[in-house]
Amino acid sequence: MSEFTIKANSIKEPIPHIFQACEFLSSAVEAHLHGNQAAADALFRQADIPEVWNWVNPAWVVVQPNVRVQKPDGDTHQVPMAERDTVRDVRKDPRAAKVRAAVLARDGYRCRYCGIPVVSADIRKIANKLYPDAVPWNEDPLEQHAAFQCLWLQYDHVVPHSHGGLSSEDNVVISCALCNFGKDKYTLRQLGLSDPRLRPPEPISWDGLESLRVCGSPKPRRSEASHVKADMRETLASPPEKTPSPANSVAFFLPGAWVQSGYVNTPSIAGKARWFKIGPELIAEAAVRNGITGCRLMCDPVLFRRRGLSPEEFLDSDQSP
C-alpha cells in the first residue's frame, strides 16, 4: 500500500477538551462584557486545561516527528530566496492586509486542517491585559494559557513559502497554532496530509471572541507603525470638513471595527468577518457610540449590500463626525 493511499486532514485529531475550553472562553468573555469580572476570571482559569496543553505540546515546537516521508516522489522542492514571494509572514506583514481579510472572510474563525475554533492574537492580548493572572502569556510555552495557545489563529501557506508558495488568497488558509507551526516548512506530501483547499470551508457560529475587542486595542506592530503615522499625517493635512463625501453617501457605524493599513476590518457579523477598502468611495474614522468603540463610515449603502449586510442595521444615528 502506498504511503499516500490514506491521508489525514490534520497532524493530530482534536480532543473534546478543546471544545470544552472554547465554551469556558465564550462564557468568560460574556461575563466580562456584563461586568462580572470575578466570574470571567474564574472561567478564563477553567479554560486553561492541562489536556489541551498536552495536545498542542510538543507537536508545534518539535516538528520532525510530524514528518511521515522525507522525500516523497513527485513532491515540490525548495526554491531560491530570490524566487520566493516577498510577503513571507501573512499574519504580520502590512502588505498582506487584504489577503488576511479575504481569507478570514472565507474561512471564518476555524482551522481548515483540524477544524477547531481559533482566536486572534489581538484578542488574547486584550484578555491577558485584563486578566494577567488568569490568562498568562510568556515566551516560554510552559507559561502560556493552554486554550489561547491551542486556538491561536494563524495564516498557513498550503504550498510552503520556501517551495514557492504564494502569499495569496488561493494558497493561504486559516489554521490553528499546531497545524501551522507543526507543519512548518514541510509539504502536505511529507506530512501525509490531504489538501484542505479540496474541502469547502464549514461555517460555524464561533466568532473568535471578537466581541472582546471593544475592551481594548493593542498597540500597532512596529511594521505597521509607519502606516499609522502616515495616515495621521494625511488626516491632519486634509481636515475632515474639507474632504468631500462620496457620492450617495450615508453615515454608518460598525461596532468593534478597526482601521488597519487602508482597510476597515470588522469582527464576525453573522458568522463572517468583512473588510472595506478606504478610498474615494468610502471615508472611515474611529468612533465611539454608547461606550462602544468602532468605526464611522461614509459611503454608498450598496457597499454594505455587496458584503451581504443590511445597511439599515448599521445606520449611524449620531450624525456628528
Side-chain angles (χ1 to χ4, degrees), residues 33 211-216 253 255-256 287-294 318:
L33 294 176
S211 57
L212 192 63
R213 192 177 291 276
V214 300
C215 300
F253 177 70
V288 179
R289 299 289 184 264
N290 299 320
I292 299 175
T293 59
D318 185 349

Side-chain angles (χ1 to χ4, degrees), residues 84-98:
R84 299 178 187 179
D85 196 318
T86 56
V87 176
R88 180 179 182 277
D89 192 336
V90 175
R91 184 169 57 91
K92 296 181 179 180
D93 198 315
R95 296 173 296 173
K98 186 175 181 179

Side-chain angles (χ1 to χ4, degrees), residues 134-164:
V135 185
W137 194 268
N138 296 296
E139 291 295 325
D140 187 346
L142 289 169
E143 301 177 6
Q144 295 176 354
H145 189 281
F148 281 106
Q149 183 190 80
C150 174
L151 308 181
W152 189 2
L153 186 155
Q154 304 292 320
Y155 294 86
D156 179 72
H157 291 82
V158 179
V159 177
H161 178 266
S162 60
H163 284 234

Side-chain angles (χ1 to χ4, degrees), residues 112-230:
R112 285 289 294 276
Y113 290 99
C114 69
I116 68 171
V118 291
V119 179
S120 165
D122 288 345
I123 299 301
R124 181 248 301 160
K125 291 175 183 176
I126 294 171
N128 170 253
K129 185 176 181 179
L130 293 170
Y131 300 91
D133 295 328
V135 185
W137 194 268
N138 296 296
E139 291 295 325
D140 187 346
L142 289 169
E143 301 177 6
Q144 295 176 354
H145 189 281
F148 281 106
Q149 183 190 80
C150 174
L151 308 181
W152 189 2
L153 186 155
Q154 304 292 320
Y155 294 86
D156 179 72
H157 291 82
V158 179
V159 177
H161 178 266
S162 60
H163 284 234
L166 299 177
S167 297
S168 64
E169 184 180 348
D170 293 334
N171 189 50
V172 174
V173 296
I174 294 294
S175 72
C176 67
L178 189 154
C179 289
N180 180 52
F181 294 120
K183 183 169 171 277
D184 195 36
K185 62 184 178 182
Y186 297 102
T187 67
L188 298 178
R189 283 172 173 257
Q190 289 176 299
L191 297 166
L193 298 177
S194 60
D195 192 329
R197 298 171 298 183
L198 301 179
R199 303 186 297 274
E202 297 181 13
I204 55 175
S205 59
W206 176 262
D207 68 350
L209 308 178
E210 284 292 324
S211 57
L212 192 63
R213 192 177 291 276
V214 300
C215 300
S217 179
K219 293 181 179 180
R221 305 182 182 95
R222 287 188 177 184
S223 59
E224 295 172 350
S226 59
H227 292 267
V228 174
K229 291 179 179 178

Side-chain angles (χ1 to χ4, degrees), residues 31-50:
H32 176 78
L33 294 176
H34 283 81
N36 194 339
Q37 284 82 12
D41 184 282
L43 288 161
F44 277 129
R45 292 178 188 273
Q46 285 182 278
D48 194 6
I49 301 174

